[in-house]
């Protein structure tokens, strides 16, 4: 049967609203199974708080399968906690030890204002996609799916970038609060594919410039790659930068000649 | 008010019905489309694709999601794939075969015309998604790859690693984002629907609650589309995301939309077994794993050896034994019940003896670890993160869990509910899967509804409303609905009892799982129908919601959702009680063959049961839509 961890101290950021001052609160979990997920531990804490007549800790979470990108949390100062390539919802208590003190904070980035407690507003990421993170192929009229063969290595590389779950860990981990990994992943996914070529340079330009309106600048620390729950490579930033610079010089009327 | 169920199936031979509809439906000319406002609630596959396409056509669209971003919807968690009758493998697939497999998979309880249309447009979906940049798996020649899935003898499932739902949802989300950026769609995020408003019997709009401020507001439109997903979380433990709920559909039901076949729920055979009582949800392991994994249990219930130490002849590969022609790819309902029988026999494996093995040792020997990793790597990693066991070395342990709901709001051929102007798409409606859904068909249906059906059918309703005034949000009906919603949430805050919403949800889920889960009996359902109302009364007296109503309060949100699950739970059990046959996901122990397979009763139950709200959740009014099969012949579903 499963082992139990005892006496886990949680140091949790509480903040009533975007404009209110926040502070750390301490809570103790007396006993918890190592089979529990990190978020199940917070569920248990919240049950205890409600039982005691106190307000539950607000945190974003949904699928608990590491794919929806809703969960966040800085755990002991690391985005999504200590396990590499793992979102908070897939982190389990077996990665901790009895007696540990765990510090839990919201994503820290000026582009992500706090809504309440551990919940932040990540909608600037949506603004970047709205600026060009798509292929303009309106419904109807698409040619047969096998009309354009895509070499497997290209499709695989596009898929590697497309795995981004949009959680914002890259921004939270970045000392500059940059969103280059997020933006680079989408630019790379679409710009590698033959279907994405028509809008390739326009896309890179629009997305990068929208990103710059909200987020800090990349200085190649690489913290984003280390924090990414999907282990997306910072190579995507190079692809994005290359396309962005080319976009500034390309004569788009002659795109089909290159 | 009494409802009539007019399915509005077009005339003509089955294969021509959709063309027939399109040839004669009413249209709205491009310049007039901008005069119409359409509300789309939910931004999953069905909602995002509908909102984007309607905006492309020129309608004004307001899209609502209770998530922070449209990209979070639970469609994203679908792993295995999406079916389409492309016949790229040349292995004998066709629109007819996909149609037939779906009707048969649904145990002959789906509407023929809808399913045929679904199979027809399935091919357009793949074309559309590739054009949008969905990175489907490809072969070395650059053409699309396919895999096979349960309930089919052809390879027609397109996939993007184990994240097909993610890639398709992101495709639809990107198309939606494009429209948001261009102003075609106005997005309202972190807003939850709390009521539907009708005026003169027609949908006039919705009332929503801002999840950040608690503010209640109204939105009016010419038509409302609900694409709000299924109700599998009624069981508390399910593979659904934590926030999945029935509230939007249930509020529509209370305003006159009939709820169809609520007892048709799908229990997915391959989920990670429950580890302990604190567990908040169950995690699915894609059905695609059954392509290469072999399901078995020890023949001897008392066998305590590690899996690798149990010799071949002491293992029971029960799916291969009982269903030799489909083997490990038997459909979900059948594979689930077989697992339940094995565990009930005491042959379960794992510390709680609550699972069966899904073993990849043979596949790894045959294909090599690298190939297995390429096919299922992310699923194996996920399994290891959750259980701490390495499935390359020891077999996975799996057990069935609530996963999908075939029942939902009743809709006609045009996807309109019994409330004129109120449409329902995707998992939230009941339409295409009958009593059991085949794997890789949910993504197909969501996108079919959103991209290729609703954008056509909605004009047939809207055309009559051109240049006619619609009720605005200052209409009294909106004011009344806003007041009722505000009162309801104030009430949850003021009960001041001792138990959290999660406590009640967990208790409710246990009742529904025990009596309305994989196996149902008259006695058990009667018991559930006495226990659920009693627990609901306790909820109303003993609920405790802490915090306040005017800032983010997830406890309060949960209370509203659990309240609606109670009333739905009563309807699920009622529906299961009156359906005195076994079919698909609905297995009544009283109705089984000598071998323990589902025993249908086509003479008395070849109908859809659609329930009308009467004001009393324990006394709904039953209506029936007889299912007419013109092409398919009833037969006993056999996968042996």
């Amino acid at each position: 049967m499963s082992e139990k961890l005892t006496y886990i101290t949680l140091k949790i950021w509480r903040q009533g609203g975007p404009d209110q001052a926040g502070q750390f609160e301490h809570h103790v979990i007396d006993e918890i199974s190592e089979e529990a997920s990190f978020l199940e531990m917070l569920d248990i804490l919240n049950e205890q708080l409600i039982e005691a007549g106190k307000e539950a800790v607000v945190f974003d979470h949904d699928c608990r399968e590491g794919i929806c990108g809703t969960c966040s949390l800085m755990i002991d100062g690391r985005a999504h906690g200590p396990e590499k390539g793992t979102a908070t919802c897939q982190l389990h208590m077996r990665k901790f030890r009895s007696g540990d003190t765990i510090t839990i904070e919201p994503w820290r980035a000026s582009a992500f204002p706090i809504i309440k407690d551990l919940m932040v507003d990540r909608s600037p990421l949506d603004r970047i996609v709205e600026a060009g993170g798509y292929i303009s192929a309106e419904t109807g009229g698409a040619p047969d799916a096998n009309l354009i063969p895509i070499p497997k290595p290209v499709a695989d590389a596009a898929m590697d970038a497309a795995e981004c779950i949009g959680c914002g860990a890259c921004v939270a981990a970045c000392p500059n609060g940059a969103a280059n990994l997020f933006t680079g992943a989408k630019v790379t996914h679409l710009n590698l594919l033959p279907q994405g070529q028509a809008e390739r340079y326009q896309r890179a330009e629009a997305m990068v410039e929208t990103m710059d309106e909200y987020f800090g600048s990349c200085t190649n620390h690489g913290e984003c790659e280390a924090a990414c729950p999907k282990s997306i490579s910072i190579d995507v930033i190079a692809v994005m930068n290359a396309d962005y610079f080319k976009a500034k010089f390309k004569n788009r009327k002659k795109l089909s000649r290159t | 008010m009494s409802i009539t169920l007019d399915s509005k199936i077009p005339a003509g031979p089955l294969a021509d019905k959709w063309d027939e509809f399109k040839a004669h439906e009413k249209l709205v000319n491009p310049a007039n489309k901008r005069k119409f406002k359409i509300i789309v609630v939910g931004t999953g596959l069905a909602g995002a694709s509908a909102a984007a396409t309607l905006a492309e056509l020129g309608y004004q669209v307001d899209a609502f999601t209770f998530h922070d971003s449209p990209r979070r919807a639970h469609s994203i968690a679908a792993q295995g794939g999406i079916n389409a009758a492309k016949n790229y493998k040349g292995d004998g697939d066709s629109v007819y075969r996909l149609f037939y497999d779906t009707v048969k998979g649904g145990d002959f309880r789906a509407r023929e015309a809808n399913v045929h249309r679904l199979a027809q447009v399935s091919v357009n979906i793949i074309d559309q998604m590739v054009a949008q940049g969905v990175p489907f798996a490809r072969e070395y020649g650059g053409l699309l790859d396919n895999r096979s899935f349960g309930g089919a003898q052809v390879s027609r499932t397109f996939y993007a690693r184990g994240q097909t739902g993610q890639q398709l949802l992101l495709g639809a989300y990107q198309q939606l984002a494009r429209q948001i950026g261009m102003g075609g769609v106005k997005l309202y995020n972190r807003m939850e629907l709390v009521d539907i408003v009708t005026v003169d019997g027609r949908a006039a709009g919705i009332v929503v609650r801002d999840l950040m401020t608690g503010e209640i507001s109204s939105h009016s439109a010419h038509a409302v589309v609900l694409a709000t997903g299924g109700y599998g979380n009624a069981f508390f433990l399910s593979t659904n995301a934590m926030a999945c709920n029935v509230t939007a559909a249930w509020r529509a039901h209370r305003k006159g939309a009939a709820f169809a076949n609520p007892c048709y729920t799908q229990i997915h055979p391959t989920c990670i077994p429950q580890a302990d009582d604190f567990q908040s949800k169950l995690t699915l392991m894609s059905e695609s794993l059954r392509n290469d994994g072999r399901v078995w249990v020890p023949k001897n219930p008392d066998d305590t050896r590690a899996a690798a130490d149990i010799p071949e002849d002491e293992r029971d590969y029960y799916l291969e034994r009982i269903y030799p022609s489909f083997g490990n790819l038997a459909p979900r309902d059948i594979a689930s019940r077989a697992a339940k029988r094995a565990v009930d026999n005491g042959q379960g494996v794992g510390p709680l003896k609550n699972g069966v093995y899904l073993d990849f040792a043979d596949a790894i020997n045959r294909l090599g670890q690298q190939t297995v990793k390429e096919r299922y790597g992310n699923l194996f990693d996920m399994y290891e993160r959750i259980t701490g066991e390495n499935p390359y070395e020891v077999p996975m342990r799996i057990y069935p869990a609530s996963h999908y709901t075939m029942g939902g709001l009743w809709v006609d051929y045009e996807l309109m509910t019994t409330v004129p102007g109120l449409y329902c798409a995707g998992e939230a409606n009941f339409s295409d899967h009958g009593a059991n859904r085949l794997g890789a068909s949910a993504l197909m249906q969501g996108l079919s509804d959103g991209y290729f059906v609703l954008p056509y059918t909605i004009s047939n309703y809207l055309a009559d409303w051109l240049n006619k005034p619609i009720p605005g949000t200052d209409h009294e009906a909106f004011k009344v609905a806003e007041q009722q919603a505000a009162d309801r949430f104030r009430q949850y805050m003021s009960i001041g009892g001792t138990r959290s919403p999660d406590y009640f949800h967990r208790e409710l889920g246990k009742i529904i799982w025990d009596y309305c889960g994989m196996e149902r009996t008259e006695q058990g359902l009667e018991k559930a129908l006495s226990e659920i109302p009693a627990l609901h009364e306790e909820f109303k007296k003993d609920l405790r919601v802490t915090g306040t109503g005017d800032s983010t309060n997830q406890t309060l949100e949960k209370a509203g959702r659990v309240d609606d699950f109670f009333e739905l739970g009563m309807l699920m059990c009622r529906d299961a009680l009156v359906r005195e046959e076994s079919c698909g996901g609905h297995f009544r122990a009283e109705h089984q063959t000598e071998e323990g397979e589902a025993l249908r009763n086509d003479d008395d139950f070849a109908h859809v049961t659609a329930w009308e709200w009467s004001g009393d959740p324990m006394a709904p009014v039953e209506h029936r839509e007889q299912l007419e099969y013109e092409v398919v012949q009833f037969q006993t579903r056999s996968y042996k």
Side-chain angles (χ1 to χ4, degrees):
Chain A
M1 284 307 295
S2 63
E3 302 290 317
K4 301 275 186 198
L5 302 181
T6 54
Y7 204 75
I8 304 278
T9 304
L10 302 177
K11 191 176 154 197
I12 298 184
W13 185 257
R14 302 297 304 260
Q15 183 171 335
D19 304 322
Q20 296 180 32
Q23 71 288 318
F24 280 107
E25 237 178 51
H26 289 75
H27 296 279
V28 173
I29 302 282
D30 293 329
E31 187 183 271
I32 186 152
S33 161
E34 62 166 25
E35 300 287 324
S37 72
F38 194 82
L39 295 183
E40 280 164 354
M41 178 191 63
L42 290 183
D43 292 342
I44 291 166
L45 170 70
N46 276 343
E47 286 281 301
Q48 288 174 10
L49 289 173
I50 293 169
E51 213 162 282
K54 294 179 185 156
E55 189 167 3
V57 179
V58 173
F59 62 98
D60 261 325
H61 65 101
D62 198 25
C63 78
R64 300 205 175 185
E65 295 180 18
I67 195 74
C68 74
T70 311
C71 68
S72 53
L73 303 185
M74 299 300 286
I75 300 169
D76 288 335
R78 299 172 75 170
H80 288 304
E83 197 176 358
K84 197 166 161 45
T86 301
T88 294
C89 66
Q90 298 261 284
L91 179 64
H92 280 66
M93 293 312 293
R94 66 177 77 89
K95 299 288 168 188
F96 296 89
R97 282 187 296 198
S98 293
D100 277 357
T101 295
I102 306 172
T103 305
I104 309 173
E105 296 163 273
W107 277 170
R108 290 180 297 201
S110 59
F112 295 160
I114 291 178
I115 293 171
K116 191 169 176 177
D117 293 343
L118 304 171
M119 180 185 273
V120 300
D121 177 6
R122 288 170 284 193
S123 47
L125 297 179
D126 288 324
R127 303 292 92 78
I128 297 174
V129 178
E130 288 159 15
Y134 47 76
I135 290 171
S136 299
E138 300 202 345
T139 309
D144 187 88
N146 257 347
L147 183 69
I148 306 170
I150 304 178
K152 186 170 170 8
V154 173
D156 285 347
M159 180 67 199
D160 287 341
E163 287 195 7
C164 168
I165 59 174
C167 62
C170 46
V171 178
C174 176
N176 305 333
N180 288 49
L181 192 72
F182 170 85
T183 313
K186 189 46 64 192
V187 168
T188 303
H189 159 210
L190 298 173
N191 283 10
L192 286 180
L193 293 171
Q195 288 83 359
Q197 296 311 303
E199 293 164 297
R200 178 172 168 184
Y201 297 107
Q202 181 189 330
R203 173 181 304 116
E205 199 171 21
M207 289 181 74
V208 167
E209 285 167 12
T210 304
M211 173 183 81
D212 286 344
E213 283 176 35
Y214 295 93
F215 295 92
S217 300
C218 173
T219 46
N220 289 320
H221 282 259
E223 293 286 341
C224 51
E225 179 183 300
C228 177
K230 290 290 165 188
S231 301
I232 290 174
S233 158
I234 51 170
D235 290 358
V236 299
I237 299 177
V239 171
M240 173 177 75
N241 286 342
D243 275 5
Y244 179 71
F245 289 122
K246 280 185 210 157
K248 292 296 180 194
F249 298 104
K250 271 283 190 242
N251 180 342
R252 289 181 203 168
K253 289 177 192 161
K254 293 181 181 168
L255 268 188
S256 59
R257 296 184 64 234
T258 51
Chain B
M1 185 184 74
S2 188
I3 56 175
T4 47
L5 302 176
D6 176 6
S7 57
K8 294 197 232 153
I9 297 170
L14 182 64
D16 299 339
K17 285 182 190 295
W18 182 228
D19 289 336
E20 184 66 22
F21 173 84
K22 289 191 286 187
H24 300 293
E25 62 158 335
K26 284 175 254 178
L27 296 174
V28 174
N29 100 37
N32 281 332
K33 287 200 175 83
R34 74 176 78 95
K35 296 178 182 169
F36 291 98
K37 163 80 68 79
I38 300 170
I39 285 173
V40 179
V41 187
T43 57
L45 282 183
S49 57
T53 306
L54 291 168
E56 286 165 7
L57 289 170
Y59 296 110
Q60 301 172 51
V61 178
D62 284 356
F64 291 80
T65 173
F66 67 169
H67 285 112
D68 66 329
S69 162
R71 65 184 292 154
R72 311 285 185 215
H74 198 53
S75 310
I76 206 154
Q79 297 168 353
I82 176 166
N83 288 328
K86 279 289 198 185
N87 193 30
Y88 280 163
K89 293 282 164 191
D91 58 356
D93 200 10
S94 63
V95 166
Y96 180 82
R97 196 171 280 276
L98 174 55
F99 152 74
Y100 181 81
D101 286 347
T102 307
V103 171
K104 180 187 172 195
D107 219 354
F108 304 92
R109 291 293 176 266
R111 199 188 277 152
E112 247 187 1
N114 286 54
V115 180
H116 196 275
R117 175 179 64 192
L118 175 70
Q120 278 176 290
V121 305
S122 69
V123 297
N124 303 108
I125 294 170
I126 302 303
D127 296 343
Q128 183 64 35
M129 298 321 281
V130 166
Q132 282 172 24
V134 169
F136 283 119
R138 289 181 182 263
E139 293 171 344
Y140 282 98
L143 301 183
L144 290 156
D145 193 15
N146 290 121
R147 53 166 62 141
S148 49
F149 247 63
Q153 289 177 310
V154 295
S155 276
R156 63 160 75 97
T157 305
F158 295 79
Y159 66 100
R161 294 191 188 144
Q163 291 129 281
T164 318
Q166 181 201 24
Q167 293 309 314
L168 293 175
L169 181 64
L170 292 182
Y173 156 73
Q174 285 162 206
Q175 208 168 347
L176 175 63
R178 174 172 174 260
Q179 285 301 323
I180 294 168
M182 297 195 310
V185 174
K186 182 159 172 47
L187 176 75
Y188 294 85
N189 68 339
R190 293 199 195 265
M191 290 270 199
E192 180 161 27
L193 183 147
V194 290
D195 210 351
I196 305 275
V197 177
T198 59
V199 173
D200 300 330
R202 292 172 184 281
I206 62 173
V207 177
V208 293
R209 184 171 174 276
D210 184 324
L211 298 183
M212 291 186 289
T213 63
E215 191 192 342
I216 303 240
S217 62
S218 291
H219 298 262
S220 71
H222 291 83
V224 175
V225 177
L226 298 183
T228 48
Y231 51 86
N233 266 350
F235 292 99
F236 183 72
L237 278 181
S238 84
T239 66
N240 283 189
M242 300 300 287
C244 292
N245 67 82
V246 75
T247 288
W250 196 254
R251 293 284 137 189
H253 175 56
R254 291 175 62 120
K255 286 292 173 79
F259 206 108
N261 300 332
C263 79
Y264 290 165
T265 56
Q266 180 164 80
I267 309 298
H268 195 291
T270 52
C271 305
I272 301 176
Q274 192 179 354
D276 214 331
D277 278 342
F278 54 75
Q279 194 145 339
S280 57
K281 73 156 276 164
L282 296 169
T283 302
L284 179 80
M285 289 283 107
S286 168
E287 174 164 311
S288 62
L289 292 167
R290 289 197 276 145
N291 271 301
D292 288 308
R294 298 179 71 195
V295 175
W296 65 276
V297 289
K299 282 185 180 164
N300 176 5
D302 301 320
D303 207 321
T304 54
R305 289 173 289 182
D309 298 335
I310 300 177
E312 203 62 21
D313 62 348
E314 291 180 46
R315 299 174 175 194
D316 182 7
Y317 293 91
Y318 58 85
L319 287 177
E320 295 171 24
R321 174 172 58 80
I322 307 172
Y323 308 102
S325 63
F326 282 71
N328 292 300
L329 284 174
R332 292 176 173 179
D333 52 339
I334 286 174
S336 290
R337 277 198 296 278
K340 181 181 189 316
R341 275 196 297 266
V343 168
D344 289 350
N345 274 343
Q347 291 167 286
V349 299
L352 303 176
K353 284 178 81 70
N354 63 348
V356 300
Y357 286 129
L358 180 63
D359 196 339
F360 291 87
D362 287 349
I364 290 169
N365 285 338
R366 187 178 75 244
L367 304 164
Q369 181 157 328
Q370 190 50 37
T371 305
V372 170
K373 190 174 167 138
E374 262 173 40
R375 287 185 192 172
Y376 311 111
N378 67 319
L379 297 170
F380 278 44
D381 293 347
M382 180 149 81
Y383 183 86
E384 184 169 5
R385 275 197 292 271
I386 292 171
T387 63
E389 293 175 354
N390 178 355
Y392 294 103
E393 286 162 12
V394 296
M396 287 185 179
R397 288 175 291 113
I398 54 163
Y399 196 65
S402 160
H403 171 61
Y404 184 89
T405 52
M406 284 73 70
L409 291 182
W410 184 90
V411 289
D412 61 21
Y413 187 75
E414 300 173 26
L415 303 185
M416 186 147 75
T417 67
T418 51
V419 176
L422 179 65
Y423 290 79
C424 188
E427 187 180 351
N429 74 29
F430 88 108
S431 75
D432 295 352
H433 306 295
N436 173 57
R437 178 176 66 74
L438 291 181
S441 284
L443 299 179
M444 172 173 69
Q445 186 223 336
L447 290 174
S448 156
D449 286 359
Y451 276 134
F452 296 106
V453 179
L454 258 178
Y456 288 93
T457 60
I458 208 162
S459 66
N460 207 30
Y461 170 79
L462 292 175
D464 289 338
W465 294 89
L466 182 63
N467 295 332
K468 290 182 188 159
I470 56 163
T473 53
D474 52 353
H475 190 282
E476 202 203 336
F478 281 100
K479 296 297 150 205
V480 170
E482 282 179 28
Q483 191 58 47
Q484 285 171 344
D487 289 347
R488 187 156 60 90
F489 283 92
R490 248 195 307 276
Q491 173 63 16
Y492 298 135
M493 296 290 315
S494 67
I495 296 172
T498 64
R499 305 281 196 181
S500 70
D502 270 339
Y503 164 83
F504 287 104
H505 191 191
R506 198 177 290 117
E507 294 299 309
L508 171 68
K510 271 186 211 155
I511 299 173
I512 303 180
W513 177 252
D514 286 346
Y515 302 118
C516 199
M518 262 190 286
E519 189 172 296
R520 296 134 183 210
T521 63
E522 183 182 351
Q523 202 188 359
L525 291 164
E526 293 282 9
K527 194 153 182 251
L529 281 169
S530 71
E531 288 181 6
I532 297 173
L535 188 64
H536 197 200
E537 285 309 308
E538 202 187 320
F539 170 87
K540 290 176 191 165
K541 288 191 198 115
D542 198 26
L543 176 72
R544 174 183 283 179
V545 177
T546 52
T548 62
D550 58 4
S551 70
T552 305
N553 188 337
Q554 293 166 316
T555 316
L556 182 58
E557 294 163 21
K558 187 71 193 273
R561 294 168 196 161
V562 173
D563 198 8
D564 290 333
F565 274 133
F566 271 108
E567 294 184 349
L568 168 80
M570 295 177 217
L571 193 68
M572 285 168 72
C573 294
R574 173 84 44 203
D575 189 50
L577 187 62
V578 303
R579 185 164 285 278
E580 295 189 49
E581 64 161 350
S582 295
C583 58
H586 170 64
F587 189 79
R588 281 283 297 267
E590 301 94 328
H591 304 281
Q592 52 181 307
T593 64
E594 281 174 16
E595 297 99 36
E597 301 292 342
L599 187 61
R600 278 200 333 263
N601 174 351
D602 295 327
D603 293 336
D604 300 321
F605 291 98
H607 60 252
V608 174
T609 314
W611 298 92
E612 181 186 355
W613 174 254
S614 70
D616 175 359
M618 285 292 283
V621 182
E622 184 183 348
H623 299 268
R624 290 177 180 184
E625 178 198 343
Q626 195 61 34
L627 292 167
E628 311 287 350
Y629 285 96
E630 291 170 27
V631 174
V632 170
Q633 304 285 315
F634 285 119
Q635 52 161 269
T636 301
R637 198 162 148 247
S638 171
Y639 291 94
K640 290 194 172 175

